[in-house]
Amino acid sequence: MPDEIPSFPEPPAIDVNCYSETLEDVLFPFDEADANRRVDLGNVDEPVIATPDGIIELGVFGRQKRANRRHLKTRLLSKRLPAKSLITASRKMSFASPELIIAQLAVKYSPVQLAQIIMEFTGTYSLSPDASDSRYETRFGVPQVTTVSRINAMMQHMPRVVARHKLVDALEMAIEGSASPTETIIALMLSLPAENGGYEMGAPVLNPRIAAPENLREHLLQREYYPDIFFQDCYADVEYESTAFHLDPVTANWQHHELALWRDVTADKAADDRRRMRELQMLGVQVIPATHKDIASADSMDRLAWALALCRECSGGRKASSHMEMLANYRNRMARESLLETLKAGSMASSNRR
């Protein structure tokens, strides 16, 4: 184990009082909020128009302005909402903040599903808004749009949150900093209680910063490392080896030079992954590789959990066989299968999510 312990980035300080100011307090122009069929986003984005394949949802502040139609829905908003619950784009246009969106989704999703969505909002990836349109793909390396602290703070100042209890449960489950949908699935599977379908391994830290000790830096290529799913109590990292950028050269119908380039890129990535794994191990981190096949079934997830349980046992923790036997009864097994299917379904983009 290295001389220096991991250094984790501090979450942004949140002043909960910043959400105490309401829309009424800032003299929001409530009467100008109308439910129009066409919403022109101008230079913010392409114009959004209600189509047979999509529904626009607009917020209004008076019952007389509600105008639900086939492809247009309105939501009655409270004038006592925190002023920061809306993001002003122009004089006549405001958007729901990420925190308000999460609060509104609480009525629609279970706590686990909501936790998964929160992890996308507080992570560094973004799912496609529409799985049926191949033009949109999951994006990686994007900035976090909110934090668990911000969602919590806004919830405390909202006059009414439908299904508040589900939101509270989801916020307790969610873990910030996920870098991919699969990291989110694995982290939730490993951390949630057995009755929820999880492995009760405790909450990991996702993508923390580990600084290389001075005495090892000349032997390493990096000065700092960011393990994927890090369990600090046993210094174990479940390292997800992504195939997100691997294409099938057969179905792609590539030319010879394109195939050669693909082979070079694939070989380089594999070499970089293994070099990174070796250097993490030099820092004293027990690296447990994980792939997309580990979330293929509950059986494969069980094998991944066994590897982590053995790492914990070697670090002086609970005996692996005792922990895994606790999870082996029929009820917990069924809960794991259900949870895994729920999370895999949730990682697929949904045009109805936002």
Side-chain angles (χ1 to χ4, degrees):
M1 189 172 294
D3 297 331
E4 297 183 16
I5 62 173
S7 172
F8 304 110
E10 291 292 330
I14 296 296
D15 178 8
V16 295
N17 293 322
C18 73
Y19 292 102
S20 60
E21 193 174 49
T22 69
L23 292 172
E24 286 183 327
D25 293 335
V26 298
L27 304 178
F28 186 87
F30 300 111
D31 293 336
E32 295 183 17
D34 291 317
N36 297 321
R37 182 175 175 80
R38 178 182 176 87
V39 180
D40 188 357
L41 300 181
N43 59 5
V44 177
D45 204 338
E46 297 178 359
V48 174
I49 304 173
T51 68
D53 299 322
I55 296 176
I56 292 179
E57 183 172 283
L58 302 176
V60 294
F61 295 92
R63 294 186 182 278
Q64 72 280 7
K65 291 196 174 185
R66 300 186 73 169
N68 292 331
R69 304 185 185 95
R70 184 178 178 185
H71 301 301
L72 173 68
K73 289 187 177 181
T74 52
R75 182 187 292 264
L76 185 62
L77 301 177
S78 170
K79 297 179 180 180
R80 299 294 300 168
L81 279 173
K84 289 185 177 293
S85 65
L86 296 182
I87 299 172
T88 300
S90 65
R91 189 177 68 85
K92 292 188 175 182
M93 180 171 294
S94 296
F95 293 93
S97 69
E99 298 80 19
L100 178 58
I101 292 173
I102 293 295
Q104 291 174 334
L105 290 177
V107 69
K108 182 177 181 180
Y109 293 99
S110 69
V112 166
Q113 292 171 314
L114 194 59
Q116 189 175 18
I117 296 171
I118 291 171
M119 287 180 68
E120 179 187 352
F121 277 60
T122 62
T124 57
Y125 67 95
S126 178
L127 291 173
S128 163
D130 188 353
S132 65
D133 193 333
S134 60
R135 295 175 302 172
Y136 300 102
E137 298 179 351
T138 298
R139 294 184 178 183
F140 300 94
V142 301
Q144 290 177 265
V145 296
T146 188
T147 65
V148 169
S149 296
R150 288 195 178 100
I151 299 168
N152 252 319
M154 179 169 288
M155 180 182 65
Q156 301 303 322
H157 287 87
M158 290 182 67
R160 181 171 177 265
V161 178
V162 180
R164 182 185 293 268
H165 63 288
K166 290 199 293 182
L167 181 54
V168 170
D169 290 345
L171 288 169
E172 292 180 352
M173 297 176 184
I175 308 166
E176 293 184 15
S178 178
S180 74
T182 305
E183 276 189 21
T184 293
I185 292 174
I186 294 174
L188 286 173
M189 287 293 302
L190 292 175
S191 64
L192 289 181
E195 59 265 27
N196 292 120
Y199 290 92
E200 289 195 15
M201 298 289 189
V205 183
L206 302 184
N207 299 284
R209 173 182 173 270
I210 296 183
E214 290 287 349
N215 64 319
L216 289 179
R217 286 184 178 176
E218 64 177 300
H219 309 295
L220 303 172
L221 289 181
Q222 299 173 212
R223 285 182 170 267
E224 54 190 34
Y225 295 80
Y226 296 85
D228 291 347
I229 304 172
F230 187 74
F231 290 84
Q232 190 172 6
D233 64 327
C234 58
Y235 231 71
D237 167 34
V238 178
E239 191 74 9
Y240 176 57
E241 297 184 354
S242 172
T243 57
F245 306 107
H246 295 178
L247 301 177
D248 185 346
V250 176
T251 59
N253 194 28
W254 286 339
Q255 300 297 319
H256 178 75
H257 71 280
E258 293 174 317
L259 181 58
L261 178 61
W262 171 81
R263 285 173 175 163
D264 290 343
V265 170
T266 302
D268 287 346
K269 183 180 185 303
D272 287 343
D273 287 345
R274 280 149 185 76
R275 186 268 309 166
R276 182 170 179 269
M277 184 183 301
R278 181 187 69 228
E279 295 188 358
L280 279 169
Q281 291 171 335
M282 289 175 64
L283 294 176
V285 178
Q286 301 183 76
V287 180
I288 303 172
T291 73
H292 68 285
K293 289 187 176 181
D294 288 312
I295 64 169
S297 68
D299 285 337
S300 53
M301 273 300 307
D302 284 351
R303 288 189 284 272
L304 180 63
W306 260 104
L308 178 59
L310 286 169
C311 281
R312 180 161 285 152
E313 179 181 327
C314 292
S315 298
R318 183 178 181 181
K319 193 172 182 180
S321 58
S322 298
H323 185 86
M324 296 305 293
E325 284 172 10
M326 178 268 294
L327 302 169
N329 66 62
Y330 178 79
R331 178 178 296 179
N332 289 342
R333 172 72 185 187
M334 292 299 101
R336 282 201 300 284
E337 291 184 356
S338 176
L339 175 63
L340 182 58
E341 290 308 308
T342 296
L343 293 175
K344 287 165 66 175
S347 70
M348 300 296 292
S350 170
S351 59
N352 295 321
R353 174 167 298 175
R354 305 192 215 174

